[in-house]
Amino acid sequence: MAVTNETFQDTSFIYEEMIIFEMNERTMVKVAVAILMAVFFIYINCVMVFAMSSRMTFMEIPRYILFTHLLLNDSMQLLVSCLMYAFALVYLRLVKVVCGLFVMFGSGMSRVAPLNLALMSLERYAAICLPLRHSDIATPKRSGIAIAVIWLVIFINLIIDMLYSTAKDPGFFVTPIFCTRQKLFIALWQMQVFQGFNAFCFVAVSLIIIYTYIAIIVTARSASFSDKTKASKAHKTVLLHLVQLGLSLSSFLYAPIESALASVSSTTIFIDLRYFNFLFLIILPRCLSPLIYGLRDDAVRPLFLHYLTCRTRKVKAAVMVQ
């Protein structure tokens, strides 16, 4: 069935009609659990970033630069997501200019994560499949440029949305609204571009990660490749990138699932399902980066535990970075 502008406008108000409820003790407990989980992992991420930044060696190696960027991105997204969820639970209306900033950074960071994973996979591909050129291809400067290009591409689409909305309605940003991404769309094509860009990012990143994974396996099994241990670690790392990509995709499913829940559930059931949807599709995937990558890294783990335990745990004077 074709989706019209009228259908789009009708569905954009589902959340506002369904989410009004009295703040009670049960709701406060749920908010506390979600926020405390996010704060805990933001702390873990910050400790890991501080641990790596304490040794300049890490900041000169592209894969650790990209990993640090991933941790910072996940931390900021956790913070923005929790703030927006808290605003929704207390039904706090924001003027659209403030809502737009929250949504711009939240949506942007959800797209940055999978693109960052693609860069990390390409770096491992260069290290294993192009070892003689790896130091020329993967440099700190090029890593920084790649990160800047990702943010530029992501925000161009979001800025176009904001400029279009402002041009169509000069008073658009001063109107108080219940803050969701859908409320900032005033035309059907904006929703279609948003969903299309998400789909393109996911398909492109999936192809890159799958290609690099296969290429690394083929190289590792070749008779001419001597460092089998390094290759084994690399293809396991890229496989973890694929798992993390699947988790990143979950954030794209949050809005469609919430819309479906709102249309088929009573208010009370919707609020409960919305909470679990937020917890498992938004919070949990953002919490796994330090566990998936940091703690399995022999160079990062001892230094991270050293700072996590307030320097009570001994760490070797020189951390070997491979």
Side-chain angles (χ1 to χ4, degrees):
M1 183 177 69
V3 179
T4 64
N5 276 307
E6 290 77 10
T7 303
F8 168 69
Q9 292 295 339
D10 289 341
T11 56
S12 69
F13 289 95
I14 289 176
Y15 311 115
E16 185 170 354
E17 295 172 355
M18 293 291 292
I19 199 61
I20 301 176
F21 65 95
E22 181 181 357
M23 178 65 97
N24 53 36
E25 184 178 347
R26 184 163 171 261
T27 302
M28 293 177 67
V29 169
K30 291 194 296 185
V31 174
V33 170
I35 291 179
L36 287 176
M37 181 185 293
V39 169
F40 173 74
F41 278 98
I42 289 174
Y43 171 72
I44 293 295
N45 289 351
C46 290
V47 172
M48 194 165 286
V49 169
F50 179 80
M52 288 190 290
S53 62
S54 68
R55 302 290 175 91
M56 288 305 299
T57 307
F58 287 108
M59 295 297 99
E60 295 172 354
I61 299 176
R63 71 185 174 107
Y64 289 112
I65 293 174
L66 294 172
F67 177 50
T68 300
H69 175 246
L70 182 65
L71 290 176
L72 292 173
N73 182 76
D74 285 349
S75 298
M76 291 187 294
Q77 189 176 3
L78 279 171
L79 179 60
V80 172
S81 298
C82 281
L83 285 173
M84 290 188 66
Y85 184 70
F87 293 157
L89 282 178
V90 299
Y91 195 57
L92 178 66
R93 288 177 175 269
L94 301 175
V95 292
K96 285 188 177 180
V97 65
V98 176
C99 177
L101 291 175
F102 274 109
V103 168
M104 180 182 292
F105 281 101
S107 298
M109 288 180 288
S110 67
R111 292 171 171 180
V112 164
L115 294 175
N116 195 91
L117 292 174
L119 290 179
M120 294 170 72
S121 296
L122 289 171
E123 188 279 330
R124 288 293 82 197
Y125 167 80
I128 301 301
C129 302
L130 305 169
L132 299 180
R133 299 177 56 195
H134 177 246
S135 59
D136 295 326
I137 296 173
T139 65
K141 182 179 179 179
R142 287 186 175 181
S143 299
I145 292 173
I147 291 171
V149 169
I150 285 177
W151 282 97
L152 179 62
V153 170
I154 292 300
F155 275 99
I156 283 177
N157 173 241
L158 298 172
I159 290 172
I160 289 173
D161 270 349
M162 299 300 173
L163 293 176
Y164 174 79
S165 299
T166 304
K168 293 290 289 185
D169 181 8
F172 177 77
F173 284 117
V174 297
T175 306
I177 60 166
F178 174 69
C179 189
T180 66
R181 183 73 175 89
Q182 288 75 15
K183 288 297 183 68
L184 296 178
F185 294 134
I186 62 175
L188 179 60
W189 70 264
Q190 290 177 289
M191 173 67 81
Q192 293 171 336
V193 169
F194 177 74
Q195 294 174 341
F197 192 85
N198 286 345
F200 171 78
C201 286
F202 175 69
V203 171
V205 173
S206 297
L207 291 175
I208 289 172
I209 293 179
I210 292 171
Y211 171 77
T212 54
Y213 178 72
I214 294 173
I216 289 172
I217 290 179
V218 171
T219 302
R221 290 179 178 176
S222 65
S224 60
F225 194 80
S226 58
D227 196 343
K228 303 292 184 180
T229 302
K230 183 178 180 181
S232 177
K233 287 183 177 180
H235 91 255
K236 288 178 181 178
T237 298
V238 175
L239 183 60
L240 287 174
H241 292 340
L242 193 59
V243 173
Q244 185 74 347
L245 175 64
L247 294 172
S248 297
L249 174 65
S250 66
S251 63
F252 296 152
L253 301 176
Y254 176 76
I257 290 176
E258 185 172 277
S259 179
L261 292 175
S263 62
V264 301
S265 306
S266 65
T267 303
T268 303
I269 296 175
F270 169 70
I271 291 168
D272 291 334
L273 293 177
R274 185 176 190 264
Y275 171 74
F276 288 109
N277 189 35
F278 170 75
L279 198 64
F280 288 104
L281 297 187
I282 299 295
I283 296 295
L284 190 60
R286 305 283 85 74
C287 297
L288 296 180
S289 294
L291 304 180
I292 290 177
Y293 305 115
L295 293 182
R296 64 183 293 270
D297 190 294
D298 294 333
V300 174
R301 185 176 59 254
L303 199 58
F304 165 70
L305 294 175
H306 173 67
Y307 286 104
L308 185 66
T309 57
C310 300
R311 304 187 183 187
T312 58
R313 187 185 179 99
K314 297 291 185 179
V315 63
K316 293 181 181 179
V319 178
M320 184 64 69
V321 180
Q322 298 179 350

